[in-house]
Amino acid sequence: RNERNRYYGKTTRNAIRDLRAADKKKDAQDSLPKVVSMIDKMVKKGTIHKNKASNLKRKLAKKVNALK
């Protein structure tokens, strides 16, 4: 379980990092649903708390919508 949590946590963190680094709105909009899905799966497995996931998703959506 520890290895699984570490793997999914690191993979999701990398996806979030790449999404935050995106400078084109089209690319960010394409990858946002995939990242949100990864975050939701981590909540389902109990790796992160549902409120933390909600905050992450809110901040990512806000960032994507702010892009030009």
Side-chain angles (χ1 to χ4, degrees):
R1 185 179 301 155
N2 183 275
E3 286 181 28
R4 181 197 70 195
N5 288 345
R6 211 171 32 203
Y7 170 77
Y8 285 113
K10 185 65 174 173
T11 305
T12 305
R13 277 196 306 274
N14 288 340
I16 290 170
R17 181 196 63 208
D18 294 342
L19 179 60
R20 285 185 177 147
D23 53 351
K24 293 185 179 144
K25 189 166 188 164
K26 176 88 171 95
D27 297 336
Q29 285 178 329
D30 291 343
S31 62
L32 182 63
K34 294 172 190 162
V35 174
V36 168
S37 174
M38 293 170 82
I39 292 170
D40 288 337
K41 286 178 188 173
M42 286 180 59
V43 171
K44 187 172 144 186
K45 291 177 170 125
T47 307
I48 61 173
H49 195 272
K50 65 180 181 177
N51 291 351
K52 177 175 178 61
S54 179
N55 287 332
L56 275 171
K57 292 188 288 187
R58 177 181 56 85
K59 288 176 184 175
L60 290 173
K62 190 174 178 182
K63 169 111 174 106
V64 169
N65 288 332
L67 290 173
K68 293 183 179 180

